[in-house]
Amino acid sequence: MSVISRGGPSPHGYRLLQDRRLPVLVTASLFVVMFGFGAFRYQAYGFLDAQVFMNLFIDNGYLLVAAVGATFVILTGGIDLSVGSVIGFTTMLTAWLVEKQGLPLLVVAPIALAVGAFGGYLMGYVIHHFEIQPFIVTLAGLFFFRGLCLVISKESISISDPAVDRLAQTHVPLPGGSFLSIAAVVSLVVLAAAFYVLHYTRFGRRVYAIGGSEQSALLMGLPVAGTKIAVYTVSGFCSALAGLLFTLYIQSGDPLHAVGLELDAIASVVVGGTLLTGGSGYVIGTLCGVLVLGLIKSLIQFEGTLSSWWTKIATGVLLFAFILIQRTMTARRRG
Amino acid sequence: MSLSSLWRAATQHRLFWPVAALIVLLLINVPFTPGFFEIHLKNGHLYGSLVSIVLFGSPLILVSIGMTLVIATGGIDLSVGAVVAISGALACLVVSKQADQNSVAGVLLSFGLALAAALVCGAWNGLLVARLGIQPIIATLILMVAGRGVAQLITGGQIITVNSDSYSLIGGGYWLTLPFSLFVVALVVVLSMVLTRRTALGLLVEAVGGNAEASRLAGIRSRRIKIMAYVFCGLCAGVAGLMISSNVSAADGNNAGLWIELDAILAVVIGGTSLTGGRFHLGGTIVGALIIQTLTTTIYTIGVPTQTNLVFKAVVVIIVCLLQSAAFREKAFGALTKRRNPARKDPGASVDAAPQLEVSP
Amino acid sequence: MAEPRPVLEMKCIVKEFAGTRALSGVDFRLFPGEIHALLGENGAGKSTLIKLLTGVHSLDGGTVSLDGRPVHITGPLQAQQAGISTVYQEVNLCQNLSVAENILIGREPVRAGRIRWKQLREQATELVTRFGLDLDVSAPVGSYPLAVQQLVAIIRAVSISDAAERRGAGGSKVLILDEPTSSLDRGEVEELFALMRRLRDEGMAIVFVSHFLDQIYEVCDRMTILRNGTLVAEHMVADLDQMQLVQLMIGKDLGQLEELSEHHAQPADGEPLLRTEGLGRTGGIAPFDLEVHAGEVLGLAGLLGSGRTELARLLFGADAPDGGRVDIDGKQVALRAPNDAIGRGVAFLSENRRAEGLVPDLTVRENIILALQAARGWTRPVPVSQRDELVAKYIAALDIRPADPEAPVSALSGGNQQKVLLARWLLTRPKLLILDEPTRGIDVGAKAEIQKLVVSLSEEGMAVVYISAELEEVLRLSHTIGVLRDRRLVSRIANGPDVTAGRVLEIIASGEHR
């Protein structure tokens, strides 16, 4: 037994360079550095106010929920391009049902969530059973839901329902005088739930197993079909929930809401250290990714002279950097 | 030859279904617009529904042609929309800075700069895919995200309008009674046909996309081929960007070329090129792009609310993809296919393929 | 001899793929408490047999029974539950998950749906320890060397059938190890064997597939030999020496080749066309020295997995060597990629037509022209008239049927596809042509034609490296014979009247020369 009893994990400092948590740490430190930079530079403008930090959650809660859904899909090695459209559609559907049909939000919300989840289920079904690339199927989903938005109405529908308004304005007070919105709280609950599901349920572990090797998962006798379809259903559900949060945030439905948001969601996931090839990553990383992207937006706002498009460029640069990191990590792991 | 075998021979031609779909789409318009196929000559310019379909479809045709080559190598380019925006923005910026916006030299300079930028974008994608070995979807996603930002950076977040007759020629002008963009499209089409079929580029692209390992062992330098495909795709998108901005005499970094990558991929797929790479059909792609443009026009003319356009497209994408999916055909027409070629059932399982056990670690 | 009842019995097994018989009426039996080697060259039907057992393929005829009860295996999961577990060469684990999870995934201890990690680790540690290993079960399996992963896969497999046994669901314990040792070093193989012996002693029946004869003799009790989809023999390992075994595996195939007279040593003097010194690749082939002269046919003999293909791939630049040098025409060259080798007049016909040769989308003409075109570069297409003339010439010369250059290559038969690939390389006028199993899986007529072609090419001055599992072919065609065994070029002998199949077999079997 000599070789094996000696042979712990590979000798080349596995824990340091190949630890799957490394990218999350990189992103988290990036966040800290950027935040520190902001705090130093915009001291006079109250950057260090706790509310500035809380606003990151308030302003990006819907993105966090969508990105968590996308994390499930990407962990299996798939991709979901329909995120933005489902969000847009949910805002439209909600606004239409509440405003034009006079239904209470309490009835509308479950309907919207069910529609999103069912859309995700359908896409997952087609992807798995007809062996069509997820990219194409969810692209069709992107068209479809954006189209449905326009079918509901070409015009934006603003929501004046007092219940919605009350919900949107509710502040959840935090110690120290800062507060969160309901949407931000919901997004954090979703994050916690996703963490639990991914790490403490068999379903969650299957998600990782499929991302590691679908072939192996199949030969190990795991229910691959069900898991893959479920993952797209989760993503559809999360997108719809993100849509509801976005509706609260903006208090209107608009066929052009959240156009291209899938890119932000995917970027957050990647910057958060999840491998696009699947099998490695954490929802906590996704949170870091969302916070970094959100912070870029805030910094650019604080700077004042910088224009909003720098957000996109910075996102692209970050994406590139993290994809390169991923690439070298996977290359080393294989070698 | 019996009628049924004639029918089969016709339907098996790869252009049959796309062209049939195009014709049906065109015919649907006739009851709604009685003069749909008429073409008038007004002020020395040709007008008519068919002319406008081609005119408005030109940028899409261009982008789709580039996309075809990229897809044939087994890749995909999501960044074409961003490249369209960058190229339009840069050209409009250059023209708007000129003292005399009508100066031909200035316009040509703007074209040159815009196309150079598009070329750089294409080369960037090509390098990421071929040199660094990053998955094409992911590699081009970077430019898809950042490119829009760059385009807005160029326009300063504004819509740059230009007032130049020379500039608006390429996208909206007429020449010899025909829309000038028609000539540009024709030129690019001929150029790409010559480039792929008169040189060996087409063959090598199809070989790389059809079987990458076999191509490597046959001595093909597949990196070079891939980079060229992405560069060509970038250039096509660049020309399309010029056309779009020239048509409206303005550059909008945010909205120019929005979704065009999706339409282009759709056109390529409808045209019969498989998303997994290999054989490509430029003719099919052009028909595919025309179908998409006609679909848009048809939705306008038959009075269906225009907003259903996207839903229509989604349905078309799904139908086309389902028909291309072997798994779907098996399930849907299982009995039929199985009887005709029993070998289909167990692909790759023939005797000499199955026991491939040797491994070279 | 009174034998116990077999735990697994397969009778008259038939499996066809697209009309070709991969297995025709094979019997196979496996007794508890034995390690049973399944042997055969490429195409013998080993992997088909295993895939039938593991439920990857379904039977076309015959019966399978476990513990005397007939069973119908429908899929991998069901096979596992019935007590048949398989560990493949390319370890089927999820590299990203921990050792513990890989062992227990799908069976994690849960309470109210929540995975109990502590208990999971304890269970896994217990299992790992029971098999005599000492691993950190919470480390990702991918961080361990392949050998350990192999063992983890075995632990998973065995623990599943154990669990099935406890539930009374199965109880038969069959473990199939499909080429588990091909990427392991000596020490690692020892570890594996220790575990295998231990399981055997506990009563498990183990099927062991390996290309390394010494390993078979070291660890196996019984063996079954297949050839061309039929059962050749079943023997106790102790009853059959290596020489007899190799003969049984390779067999003789004299068939229709009588027209071809034996073709022996020619003076191979002067400067060699290609010479290697210490060229090698870890895990592929040990460093070797080789010379090939113009007009010489160098035959490479050896069993499947002996390193024949790996050697050829190094000569062609298809894999990067770890060390050593290659001289072509007396000049040292760097073969970094196939196009470097092609540029120096080397051509390589891969044994794997489908994956490494054909571009199935393309036509016969395009497939034929491909290598020449690649060498010329994309800007200089072969002129149409010249191209059509060349293609027509080679279609005629090699008698490719149908003689239609526009036919899709995927519609051709195996033999004709092989000729298409040969034509592809002949068009480049190579100085050295490497043929890896050019006659495998093609009909007898095409085989004879390809062999005749090799003779005439060498007479025209082309050097040929000819790799074949069929010894007769190598003996008939070669001027010089290189013998490989266990990833090592063990011998190089000049062919002559005194070189017989027996002598080459002896070298293959013993690894010793003279």
Side-chain angles (χ1 to χ4, degrees):
Chain A
M1 297 296 112
S2 55
V3 172
I4 287 150
S5 40
R6 263 191 286 109
S10 80
H12 304 298
Y14 159 79
R15 282 180 197 290
L16 204 71
L17 266 176
Q18 304 207 342
D19 196 306
R20 274 158 238 277
R21 282 165 292 191
L22 179 73
V24 181
L25 285 177
V26 171
T27 312
S29 352
L30 182 66
F31 177 79
V32 171
V33 169
M34 280 167 54
F35 203 86
F37 168 80
F40 176 74
R41 192 172 164 94
Y42 312 116
Q43 236 168 350
Y45 304 92
F47 194 88
L48 268 181
D49 186 356
Q51 194 55 43
V52 170
F53 183 71
M54 291 310 153
N55 282 345
L56 285 179
F57 289 90
I58 294 175
D59 296 338
N60 298 292
Y62 65 93
L63 176 61
L64 177 58
V65 172
V68 164
T71 311
F72 275 80
V73 172
I74 292 176
L75 276 176
T76 63
I79 201 155
D80 187 352
L81 295 181
S82 70
V83 171
S85 293
V86 175
I87 293 178
F89 171 69
T90 311
T91 67
M92 271 321 265
L93 183 69
T94 313
W96 183 68
L97 286 177
V98 170
E99 285 299 308
K100 308 275 153 147
Q101 308 300 316
L103 292 176
L105 187 63
L106 218 61
V107 176
V108 172
I111 295 178
L113 292 177
V115 170
F118 182 67
Y121 171 83
L122 275 187
M123 288 189 277
Y125 186 89
V126 173
I127 289 166
H128 183 78
H129 287 287
F130 301 137
E131 293 160 26
I132 308 178
Q133 290 160 335
F135 169 74
I136 290 299
V137 176
T138 56
L139 176 61
L142 182 157
F143 279 143
F144 188 77
F145 281 104
R146 193 58 74 188
L148 284 187
C149 289
L150 292 161
V151 170
I152 292 176
S153 164
K154 274 200 280 188
E155 309 296 326
S156 143
I157 307 176
S158 62
I159 301 178
S160 50
D161 184 84
V164 176
D165 195 47
R166 223 175 309 124
L167 210 56
Q169 301 303 330
T170 307
H171 287 185
V172 182
L174 292 175
S178 57
F179 63 89
L180 284 176
S181 64
I182 296 278
V185 173
V186 170
S187 70
L188 289 174
V189 170
V190 168
L191 179 75
F195 182 83
Y196 178 83
V197 168
L198 282 175
H199 296 283
Y200 289 97
T201 66
R202 287 187 177 177
F203 168 69
R205 302 321 293 167
R206 288 204 297 270
V207 170
Y208 279 91
I210 291 175
S213 162
E214 191 172 332
Q215 176 73 14
S216 295
L218 205 62
L219 286 170
M220 282 176 166
L222 302 178
V224 170
T227 310
K228 269 175 76 179
I229 294 173
V231 154
Y232 287 93
T233 313
V234 167
S235 177
F237 176 86
C238 284
S239 303
L241 184 56
L244 285 176
L245 301 184
F246 196 70
T247 315
L248 277 188
Y249 184 66
I250 292 222
Q251 293 196 42
S252 71
D254 189 308
L256 290 178
H257 273 341
V259 166
L261 198 92
E262 56 278 351
L263 296 182
D264 287 344
I266 294 170
S268 312
V269 175
V270 173
V271 171
T274 301
L275 281 187
L276 271 166
T277 45
S280 171
Y282 300 91
V283 276
I284 298 300
T286 301
L287 171 67
C288 294
V290 169
L291 288 180
V292 165
L293 295 194
L295 187 58
I296 292 177
K297 264 188 266 173
S298 303
L299 286 177
I300 284 170
Q301 271 166 19
F302 267 88
E303 182 65 39
T305 56
L306 276 180
S307 319
S308 62
W309 48 84
W310 281 104
T311 319
K312 289 177 185 160
I313 298 176
T315 310
V317 170
L318 272 184
L319 252 182
F320 175 60
F322 276 82
I323 286 169
L324 269 192
I325 294 177
Q326 290 191 357
R327 178 81 199 136
T328 43
M329 277 187 73
T330 41
R332 196 171 300 145
R333 198 168 292 155
R334 223 176 286 129
Chain B
M1 204 189 244
S2 73
L3 207 65
S4 70
S5 63
L6 200 72
W7 169 249
R8 248 179 84 182
T11 52
Q12 274 176 358
H13 191 275
R14 57 185 169 76
L15 278 180
F16 178 83
W17 289 111
V19 169
L22 181 59
I23 291 172
V24 169
L25 265 178
L26 289 172
L27 287 178
I28 287 175
N29 284 284
V30 177
F32 298 92
T33 320
F36 187 74
F37 287 103
E38 282 170 27
I39 290 172
H40 315 279
L41 192 64
K42 233 191 274 169
N43 305 335
H45 296 167
L46 277 184
Y47 285 101
S49 305
L50 293 182
V51 178
S52 26
I53 286 176
V54 177
L55 179 61
F56 292 122
S58 300
L60 179 60
I61 295 177
L62 290 181
V63 173
S64 307
I65 286 173
M67 187 70 81
T68 307
L69 284 192
V70 167
I71 287 181
T73 64
I76 202 151
D77 188 349
L78 297 183
S79 70
V80 283
V83 176
V84 162
I86 291 177
S87 138
L90 196 59
C92 284
L93 183 73
V94 173
V95 171
S96 68
K97 299 275 183 219
Q98 311 266 322
D100 173 16
Q101 296 203 359
N102 273 324
S103 118
V104 175
V107 169
L108 285 181
L109 173 72
S110 74
F111 285 3
L113 283 174
L115 292 184
L119 188 141
V120 169
C121 291
W124 161 264
N125 284 330
L127 285 175
L128 290 190
V129 171
R131 280 277 153 195
L132 297 181
I134 298 172
Q135 258 174 280
I137 289 186
I138 299 166
T140 54
L141 183 69
I142 296 171
L143 195 57
M144 184 187 185
V145 174
R148 289 249 165 240
V150 172
Q152 282 170 292
L153 177 70
I154 295 170
T155 62
Q158 309 294 313
I159 294 179
I160 302 181
T161 50
V162 293
N163 193 356
S164 157
D165 289 339
S166 341
Y167 188 71
S168 60
L169 178 68
I170 182 172
Y174 279 77
W175 190 49
L176 302 177
T177 78
L178 286 171
F180 188 77
S181 60
L182 212 66
F183 293 98
V184 178
V185 169
L187 180 73
V188 173
V189 167
V190 169
L191 194 74
S192 55
M193 298 251 182
V194 168
L195 195 64
T196 55
R197 296 304 177 198
R198 289 287 142 179
T199 74
L201 193 61
L203 173 66
L204 299 186
V205 162
E206 286 175 340
V208 168
N211 186 340
E213 180 59 9
S215 306
R216 187 179 81 95
L217 290 179
I220 298 175
R221 294 172 171 86
S222 59
R223 284 179 174 176
R224 249 183 241 183
I225 302 287
K226 282 186 184 168
I227 292 177
M228 282 173 60
Y230 283 93
V231 167
F232 182 73
C233 186
L235 278 177
C236 285
V239 178
L242 294 178
M243 220 176 245
I244 289 174
S245 62
S246 134
N247 190 276
V248 293
S249 285
D252 177 354
N254 225 355
N255 292 313
L258 200 62
W259 305 133
I260 203 168
E261 58 276 353
L262 307 182
D263 280 346
I265 294 167
L266 184 56
V268 173
V269 173
I270 292 177
T273 301
S274 161
L275 272 173
T276 50
R279 269 271 188 256
F280 65 89
H281 309 289
L282 288 175
T285 297
I286 294 167
V287 175
L290 286 175
I291 287 179
I292 292 174
Q293 190 56 45
T294 311
L295 188 68
T296 314
T297 311
T298 306
I299 286 169
Y300 276 110
T301 54
I302 67 177
V304 173
T306 47
Q307 45 271 42
T308 48
N309 190 345
L310 277 172
V311 178
F312 253 71
K313 272 187 200 166
V315 173
V316 172
V317 182
I318 277 300
I319 291 175
V320 170
C321 288
L322 285 179
L323 289 177
Q324 279 196 357
S325 144
F328 177 78
R329 278 185 311 226
E330 176 109 344
K331 275 171 191 147
F333 327 105
L336 209 76
T337 359
K338 230 175 266 172
R339 216 179 317 127
R340 241 190 269 147
N341 43 0
R344 259 284 151 75
K345 202 183 138 201
D346 217 336
S350 83
V351 192
D352 62 314
Q356 184 50 41
L357 290 168
E358 277 183 81
V359 79
S360 25
Chain C
M1 181 161 109
E3 282 177 320
R5 189 176 65 173
V7 54
L8 169 79
E9 197 157 19
M10 302 176 85
K11 281 222 168 87
C12 290
I13 300 297
V14 176
K15 178 69 194 173
E16 290 187 359
F17 294 112
T20 325
R21 286 215 156 181
L23 288 175
S24 32
V26 170
D27 295 343
F28 180 71
R29 50 188 197 148
L30 185 65
F31 293 92
E34 73 171 5
I35 300 178
H36 191 130
L38 187 58
L39 295 160
E41 283 288 279
N42 235 331
K46 289 176 314 223
S47 24
T48 310
L49 193 74
I50 289 176
K51 283 181 176 153
L52 288 172
L53 265 181
T54 53
V56 176
H57 293 328
S58 54
L59 282 178
D60 288 337
T63 56
V64 181
S65 45
L66 274 169
D67 281 329
R69 287 188 305 268
V71 289
H72 182 62
I73 299 169
T74 51
L77 184 59
Q78 196 245 337
Q80 277 178 23
Q81 281 162 351
I84 301 174
S85 326
T86 313
V87 175
Y88 298 92
Q89 170 189 17
E90 65 291 0
V91 188
N92 279 296
L93 295 176
C94 293
Q95 304 283 320
N96 56 330
L97 301 184
S98 69
V99 171
E101 279 196 85
N102 268 294
I103 295 177
L104 290 167
I105 194 162
R107 305 176 289 143
E108 301 100 331
V110 287
R111 187 197 285 153
R114 180 192 164 99
I115 294 180
R116 310 188 59 203
W117 283 99
K118 189 155 172 279
Q119 202 181 330
L120 175 83
R121 279 192 294 270
E122 281 164 9
Q123 277 183 22
T125 313
E126 193 189 308
L127 279 168
V128 167
T129 322
R130 188 155 74 76
F131 287 96
L133 304 183
D134 175 18
L135 306 177
D136 172 7
V137 293
S138 46
V141 97
S143 66
Y144 283 101
L146 202 63
V148 177
Q149 297 184 22
Q150 198 84 253
L151 299 178
V152 170
I154 294 176
I155 293 173
R156 172 182 171 83
V158 172
S159 68
I160 285 178
S161 51
D162 273 354
E165 188 177 12
R166 273 200 298 279
R167 282 202 315 272
S172 354
K173 291 169 74 182
V174 175
L175 175 63
I176 301 170
L177 301 175
D178 189 1
E179 286 197 66
T181 55
S182 39
S183 333
L184 307 189
D185 68 28
R186 191 59 224 167
E188 295 168 333
V189 170
E190 284 306 323
E191 305 281 348
L192 178 69
F193 285 180
L195 182 60
M196 283 167 63
R197 292 198 184 95
R198 184 179 173 133
L199 291 169
R200 172 188 64 192
D201 296 343
E202 288 172 8
M204 179 161 270
I206 300 175
V207 179
F208 179 66
V209 179
S210 170
H211 296 305
F212 299 101
L213 292 187
D214 285 342
Q215 293 181 357
I216 305 283
Y217 279 84
E218 188 180 339
V219 77
C220 294
D221 306 303
R222 190 191 295 267
M223 53 190 168
T224 292
I225 300 142
L226 303 179
R227 193 172 65 229
N228 295 330
T230 56
L231 175 71
V232 175
E234 189 214 84
H235 284 287
M236 296 307 287
V237 171
D239 298 343
L240 197 72
D241 67 26
Q242 291 209 15
M243 180 72 190
Q244 290 166 309
L245 170 62
V246 171
Q247 257 166 346
L248 284 177
M249 283 171 69
I250 293 181
K252 297 205 189 303
D253 183 20
L254 295 168
Q256 305 213 332
L257 308 169
E258 66 283 338
E259 308 163 45
L260 206 67
S261 60
E262 287 221 356
H263 167 72
H264 282 319
Q266 266 183 2
D269 46 329
E271 190 69 3
L273 174 70
L274 175 140
R275 185 216 307 269
T276 71
E277 254 178 58
L279 194 68
R281 179 180 163 89
T282 314
I285 174 113
F288 60 90
D289 301 338
L290 201 65
E291 279 180 9
V292 193
H293 296 80
E296 178 186 356
V297 179
L298 168 69
L300 293 181
L303 296 174
L304 177 68
S306 59
R308 304 177 309 213
T309 301
E310 288 78 0
L311 188 153
R313 287 177 66 91
L314 286 185
L315 296 184
F316 186 61
D319 295 326
D322 294 337
R325 62 180 278 171
V326 186
D327 292 12
I328 292 179
D329 284 331
K331 270 189 297 216
Q332 180 170 4
V333 292
L335 304 179
R336 280 183 225 93
N339 50 20
D340 293 333
I342 295 168
R344 298 194 160 79
V346 183
F348 171 62
L349 184 73
S350 163
E351 63 172 340
N352 193 343
R353 263 201 309 277
R354 205 177 293 257
E356 299 180 351
L358 299 169
V359 183
D361 277 359
L362 301 185
T363 62
V364 168
R365 171 172 61 73
E366 290 166 320
N367 268 286
I368 290 181
I369 207 81
L370 201 56
L372 180 63
Q373 188 58 64
R376 291 171 64 105
W378 69 274
T379 48
R380 293 197 306 136
V382 184
V384 176
S385 59
Q386 192 193 339
R387 177 194 74 188
D388 290 346
E389 193 181 313
L390 276 171
V391 169
K393 179 177 144 201
Y394 279 92
I395 287 180
L398 298 177
D399 192 21
I400 295 172
R401 289 178 207 182
D404 172 12
E406 299 305 324
V409 80
S410 50
L412 269 58
S413 73
N416 283 301
Q417 290 179 342
Q418 192 70 297
K419 289 184 195 167
V420 166
L421 295 179
L422 257 172
R424 174 191 291 176
W425 289 118
L426 294 180
L427 231 56
T428 65
R429 304 183 164 279
K431 288 186 277 188
L432 171 64
L433 177 61
I434 306 172
L435 301 175
D436 190 1
E437 295 271 22
T439 59
R440 189 208 298 162
I442 66 179
D443 61 274
V444 186
K447 272 185 191 183
E449 286 174 48
I450 286 178
Q451 296 183 24
K452 274 186 222 158
L453 182 70
V454 169
V455 173
S456 62
L457 288 174
S458 88
E459 277 163 1
E460 287 164 21
M462 193 182 291
V464 180
V465 172
Y466 192 92
I467 300 176
S468 174
E470 293 182 43
L471 206 46
E472 301 295 338
E473 269 185 34
V474 174
L475 280 170
R476 199 174 311 115
L477 296 173
S478 312
H479 301 116
T480 317
I481 299 174
V483 183
L484 290 111
R485 180 193 155 95
D486 293 357
R487 306 265 159 93
R488 192 171 293 279
L489 181 64
V490 290
S491 168
R492 224 153 56 87
I493 46 181
N495 200 356
D498 58 323
V499 179
T500 59
R503 193 169 148 211
V504 176
L505 279 178
E506 207 174 290
I507 304 173
I508 293 178
S510 69
E512 280 147 32
H513 173 41
R514 271 164 246 171

